[in-house]
Amino acid sequence: MNRKTLVLPTVVGLLAPVLAGCGGADGGSGSGDAIVVGTTDRFTATKDAPAPLDPAYSYDVGTWNILRQTVQTLMIQPKGEGDPVPEAAKSCGFTDSGNERYACTLRDGLKFSSGDPITAEDVKFSIDRARAIKADSGVFALLSTIDTVETQGDDEVIFHLKTADATFPFKLSTPVAGIVNPDDYDKGKLRDGFAVDGSGPYTLKAEADGDEMTRAVFTKNPNYKGTLDVKNDKVEMVSYKDAEDMGTALDKGDIDLMTRTMTPEQIKKLSDASADGAVDLTELAGLEIRYLAFNTDAPTVKTKAVRQAMAQIIDRSRLVSEVYGTQAEPLYSLVPASVTGHSNAFFNTYGDPDPAKAKALLEEADVSTPVKLTLNYTTDHYGAATKKEFEQLQKQLNDSGLFDVSLQGTPWATFVPAERKGEYAVYGMGWFPDFPDADNFLAPFLDKDNFLKSPYSNGDIINNLIPESRREADRLSAAKSLTEIQDIVAKDVPVLPLWQGKQYVASRDNVTGSAYVLNSSATLQLWELSRGVSG
């Protein structure tokens, strides 16, 4: 992981009182108790999504980061990246040459936070439950290669797969495979609200205002047994309505650290400051991507040429420079440039932005111009810069004379149900990978039961290319299949990749571990934080 740690002075107008606040009795940093983390992620339990923290439902980066602190999985992604390693299991591995039988042996003495012992039957219950409920979030698709789950005794779990899947160990490290207690979770329905019970490094106490969780209090779990070295006794996560409020909280000493999502302006102020002060800005490698998704059955974009024309017009470099500067990079595939199997499929197909070529595509398909459509985006999930990003996309498309684009911003709690019901023809989304493998940037969008509920379906991708790529334990050997998938996506444009982003953490200088609090998949690792002098 590439890291750049900038030890910064206070920034006038943004973080001015931070140094003065260190050690104060009223501030989060000076309490001597919990380490307090700010986030702009919002956690709501609504009529459309009443069970945001159930492992069988949760499928966004914010709620997964709650679950990763509280619900234990058989495997876990290690601190230094790389292949997953055993966590609730003491050993796991394929037991056949075809990567179709995967066996795990549980650690001795595993317990839920309640003190109840964990057995192989609890693991089977948890995974079978997620597969059976088939929540409309689509998270169950991560377990789609499982045929049956078998137990032998109290400590052995055997997964029989429908087809070879070299990525299966990664999938067992994701929250949908989290181990839950049958006493707390109904086999046939989701658990509503904000309660979470597991065997992870922390227990959770949620504080809510109406249908929204405002604070998550994580307390070290005395019954935890696993690979993690938990370096603190308590962490509190506070949810803010926007980055400005979060920055003010750090400014006042109410929080010790802030992460996603800071604004580009905040990051730039911190980055431009000189290297002696009370706030550390840590830049981390990231695999976050942003893209436009299409309901390919919607009349305005059903004709492939319309989607191709948009791909031909949009100038990613201009979009990034105008909105995100050095904090993002143009992306020409769903697979980020740093992931094995990446190809610049969209650039290879369309080259540089060219409205004349776009016009020819539309004319050949007999599409009348300007094409009228609405770009939908969420106002409160991916950061304050999202609105500016979509205004730039609107300008580029409208300036071509080929499109008449309007914008519609919607809060996340409303946006997600509408998107899943197919109400949007074109909408903006982000993707934080479940695990750092090219398969996880392709299959969730293109396989059966894809999480976008997209009507787009390509038989060659589903029946041949994805299974072929999963047979290869050496991911370099999967490159041919992965490249073919990316080429098909560039030609058909069911999704349109835009950019790949970096990650940033701003922390007070009496908190250590900020360089490891996020991994490249945006997994929050609160157990890495502790009190001390950084640098």
Side-chain angles (χ1 to χ4, degrees), residues 154-192:
D154 286 340
D155 64 352
E156 189 168 7
V157 185
I158 301 168
F159 300 93
H160 300 278
L161 306 184
K162 299 173 186 175
T163 184
D165 186 0
T167 69
F168 190 66
F170 279 109
K171 294 170 181 175
L172 289 182
S173 73
T174 63
V176 69
I179 306 166
V180 298
N181 193 333
D183 291 344
D184 299 317
Y185 291 81
D186 190 294
K187 182 178 181 179
K189 67 179 182 179
L190 296 171
R191 183 180 183 179
D192 293 353

Side-chain angles (χ1 to χ4, degrees), residues 434-458:
D434 309 323
F435 50 88
D437 186 277
D439 177 88
N440 193 242
F441 291 92
L442 298 171
F445 302 88
L446 305 167
D447 208 350
K448 286 180 285 191
D449 298 319
N450 68 80
F451 89 102
L452 290 174
K453 310 292 184 191
S454 172
Y456 174 80
S457 179
N458 183 286

Side-chain angles (χ1 to χ4, degrees), residues 127-412:
I127 290 178
D128 282 348
R129 174 178 180 268
R131 295 169 61 219
I133 288 176
K134 289 191 173 182
D136 65 5
S137 66
V139 69
F140 69 90
L142 282 169
L143 307 175
S144 63
T145 55
I146 296 175
D147 185 18
T148 58
V149 183
E150 174 191 355
T151 63
Q152 291 188 1
D154 286 340
D155 64 352
E156 189 168 7
V157 185
I158 301 168
F159 300 93
H160 300 278
L161 306 184
K162 299 173 186 175
T163 184
D165 186 0
T167 69
F168 190 66
F170 279 109
K171 294 170 181 175
L172 289 182
S173 73
T174 63
V176 69
I179 306 166
V180 298
N181 193 333
D183 291 344
D184 299 317
Y185 291 81
D186 190 294
K187 182 178 181 179
K189 67 179 182 179
L190 296 171
R191 183 180 183 179
D192 293 353
F194 300 115
V196 180
D197 293 284
S199 56
Y202 296 100
T203 60
L204 170 69
K205 178 182 177 183
E207 298 179 9
D209 181 6
D211 63 0
E212 184 166 355
M213 184 172 72
T214 55
R215 183 182 295 258
V217 180
F218 298 101
T219 303
K220 188 174 181 179
N221 176 11
N223 289 319
Y224 168 72
K225 286 192 175 182
T227 61
L228 302 175
D229 177 15
V230 183
K231 298 174 181 175
N232 56 71
D233 292 326
K234 183 182 285 187
V235 179
E236 297 184 9
M237 181 189 296
V238 182
S239 181
Y240 291 92
K241 69 177 183 178
D242 55 41
E244 286 70 25
D245 282 358
M246 181 170 64
T248 298
L250 186 64
D251 187 3
K252 292 167 59 180
D254 291 339
I255 62 175
D256 299 297
L257 179 148
M258 63 180 186
T259 174
R260 54 165 290 145
T261 305
M262 290 180 270
T263 67
E265 292 77 17
Q266 284 175 319
I267 294 167
K268 187 173 189 305
K269 281 185 179 180
L270 290 168
S271 297
D272 288 346
S274 58
D276 56 350
V279 174
D280 297 346
L281 181 73
T282 305
E283 177 187 294
L284 304 135
L287 296 176
E288 170 192 5
I289 69 169
R290 298 285 177 85
Y291 60 95
L292 293 178
F294 298 92
N295 176 354
T296 53
D297 279 350
T300 52
V301 295
K302 186 171 185 177
T303 301
K304 181 167 62 176
V306 174
R307 308 191 302 269
Q308 291 174 326
M310 293 175 69
Q312 186 67 74
I313 290 168
I314 290 174
D315 186 336
R316 294 167 177 80
S317 295
R318 182 179 165 199
L319 174 68
V320 167
S321 65
E322 290 284 339
V323 181
Y324 296 102
T326 60
Q327 299 159 30
E329 298 175 353
L331 183 65
Y332 296 93
S333 169
L334 283 172
V335 181
S338 55
V339 174
T340 300
H342 162 84
S343 78
N344 285 317
F346 274 80
F347 187 83
N348 296 340
T349 302
Y350 299 98
D352 292 323
D354 191 332
K357 289 182 179 179
K359 182 178 181 180
L361 286 167
L362 294 171
E363 287 178 345
E364 186 176 351
D366 198 27
V367 174
S368 300
T369 58
V371 177
K372 190 171 183 178
L373 54 84
T374 300
L375 297 185
N376 293 273
Y377 66 94
T378 176
T379 56
D380 60 351
H381 190 68
Y382 297 120
T386 305
K387 183 174 186 290
K388 185 177 179 182
E389 175 183 342
F390 273 76
E391 288 172 345
Q392 176 61 216
L393 290 169
Q394 178 189 38
K395 177 173 170 41
Q396 291 186 20
L397 291 166
N398 287 349
D399 284 353
S400 72
L402 301 173
F403 288 88
D404 178 8
V405 172
S406 59
L407 300 180
Q408 179 64 53
T410 308
W412 183 249

